[in-house]
Amino acid sequence: MHIFTSFLFCITCLTVNSFAQTAEINASAKETAAYPVSLYKAATAQSQNLYNGRQYYVYDARGEEHQFLNQRKWHNGVVLYDNQQFDSIPMVYDLFHDELVIKHFNGDHILLQSEKVNFFMLDNHNFERLEAGKDINDQMKTGFYDILYNGASRTIVRRVKQRQEKIVDKMVIALYPQKNFFYIRKNGRYNSVHSKKSVFNLFADHKKELRKVLRDQKIKFRNNREVAIAQMVRKYDELAKQ
């Protein structure tokens, strides 16, 4: 009887020890599995914020003209979104709706919340979101502006596309003509310029020197208005420092 009791006691101890070891192994396995999950969550927390937006549907996809900046193709760009920078993000800029669209890694098109986009760089353009009455004049529209020149006389461009329709062979064709509106900052306010004369009037004290810049660099304002304005403003700032 004593031997049987001792044997039963040993079996019980072994069973309890086995259960304890199994519990420890299971707990260890759970911790091991949870570790990479926690790393993944930490690594993707920022990107989840970026991709947490409404789905964007491309409209007028078959038309010859399109609503995007420069091309209909995706280009890798940089975006500062909700004060977090993301690099090499496939994106397109819808000029008609003034909205930035990115491509999710699963192929979905995600529309970013414009108020959270601080700036983005795309296809050799640098866009900032400027707010009327705060960053720009009260009467100017809040939205994305292309920074053409970032010196003292900061020059920005509002690029927009308008949607028009025409009927060809009983089919509605969408057209997207683009317009660019230029603004030069002087004395704390942005001034609209559209012609060579309007730039000269803004910088009347150096009109002669600005004419020389265009002449020396063989820039015709009418043919290359963007380059002409940028060069004139840059030269004005150089002269203003003297």
Side-chain angles (χ1 to χ4, degrees), residues 40-57:
Y40 172 79
K41 289 182 177 180
T44 60
Q46 292 184 345
S47 60
Q48 287 174 355
N49 181 40
L50 178 68
Y51 293 114
N52 186 23
R54 293 187 292 110
Q55 189 164 0
Y56 175 87
Y57 297 94

Side-chain angles (χ1 to χ4, degrees), residues 66-103:
H66 56 83
Q67 62 272 37
F68 303 111
L69 173 70
N70 293 342
Q71 301 181 48
R72 192 184 262 118
K73 298 179 181 178
W74 296 93
H75 287 271
N76 286 343
V78 177
V79 58
L80 183 64
Y81 188 70
D82 203 14
N83 297 317
Q84 299 171 6
Q85 182 169 318
F86 300 89
D87 303 325
S88 299
I89 303 297
M91 60 178 66
V92 290
Y93 174 32
D94 185 331
L95 291 176
F96 178 59
H97 285 120
D98 194 26
E99 295 173 331
L100 184 62
V101 184
I102 64 172
K103 180 186 283 188

Side-chain angles (χ1 to χ4, degrees), residues 3-239:
I3 294 175
F4 177 76
T5 303
S6 299
F7 174 75
L8 184 61
F9 175 75
C10 291
I11 293 297
T12 303
C13 290
L14 289 173
T15 303
V16 171
N17 186 51
S18 176
F19 280 138
Q21 291 180 351
T22 302
E24 291 178 0
I25 292 173
N26 290 339
S28 177
K30 290 180 179 179
E31 292 177 359
T32 302
Y35 182 66
V37 172
S38 63
L39 286 179
Y40 172 79
K41 289 182 177 180
T44 60
Q46 292 184 345
S47 60
Q48 287 174 355
N49 181 40
L50 178 68
Y51 293 114
N52 186 23
R54 293 187 292 110
Q55 189 164 0
Y56 175 87
Y57 297 94
V58 179
Y59 51 95
D60 296 330
R62 297 183 179 181
E64 292 183 6
E65 298 188 10
H66 56 83
Q67 62 272 37
F68 303 111
L69 173 70
N70 293 342
Q71 301 181 48
R72 192 184 262 118
K73 298 179 181 178
W74 296 93
H75 287 271
N76 286 343
V78 177
V79 58
L80 183 64
Y81 188 70
D82 203 14
N83 297 317
Q84 299 171 6
Q85 182 169 318
F86 300 89
D87 303 325
S88 299
I89 303 297
M91 60 178 66
V92 290
Y93 174 32
D94 185 331
L95 291 176
F96 178 59
H97 285 120
D98 194 26
E99 295 173 331
L100 184 62
V101 184
I102 64 172
K103 180 186 283 188
H104 195 280
F105 44 78
N106 66 7
D108 289 341
H109 303 166
I110 304 299
L111 177 62
L112 297 184
Q113 299 180 48
S114 295
E115 62 273 11
K116 291 186 177 182
V117 179
N118 306 102
F119 78 80
F120 64 93
M121 294 183 288
L122 177 64
D123 202 15
N124 296 319
H125 293 270
N126 298 321
F127 288 89
E128 287 186 18
R129 186 176 185 275
L130 303 179
E131 185 176 336
K134 179 182 177 182
D135 308 304
I136 50 181
N137 304 350
D138 293 340
Q139 70 274 18
M140 295 171 66
K141 186 176 181 179
T142 295
F144 296 119
Y145 288 79
D146 195 356
I147 310 303
L148 183 64
Y149 170 72
N150 204 24
S153 302
R154 198 180 203 217
T155 305
I156 59 178
V157 188
R158 175 74 170 174
R159 305 188 187 277
V160 299
K161 282 191 174 182
Q162 299 175 335
R163 188 181 188 278
Q164 301 176 358
E165 294 181 351
K166 70 175 183 179
I167 299 177
V168 179
D169 295 331
K170 299 181 179 181
M171 294 181 59
V172 177
I173 305 298
L175 303 176
Y176 285 95
Q178 180 172 331
K179 291 185 178 181
N180 300 314
F181 300 92
F182 296 83
Y183 301 90
I184 300 174
R185 184 175 61 190
K186 185 179 182 183
N187 299 326
R189 291 189 59 80
Y190 282 96
N191 302 268
S192 175
V193 295
H194 58 280
S195 64
K196 182 166 57 176
K197 182 179 179 180
S198 62
V199 180
F200 286 151
N201 289 340
L202 185 63
F203 300 136
D205 50 336
H206 289 293
K207 183 184 298 186
K208 181 179 178 180
E209 294 90 336
L210 298 186
R211 287 186 184 276
K212 187 175 184 301
V213 168
L214 298 182
R215 185 171 60 253
D216 290 347
Q217 298 188 22
K218 298 180 180 180
I219 301 174
K220 293 186 177 181
F221 193 97
R222 182 177 299 179
N223 297 337
N224 206 342
R225 182 171 58 160
E226 200 156 311
V227 172
I229 291 176
Q231 292 300 320
M232 293 168 75
V233 174
R234 185 176 288 107
K235 182 62 177 179
Y236 175 80
D237 278 355
E238 291 177 1
L239 295 169

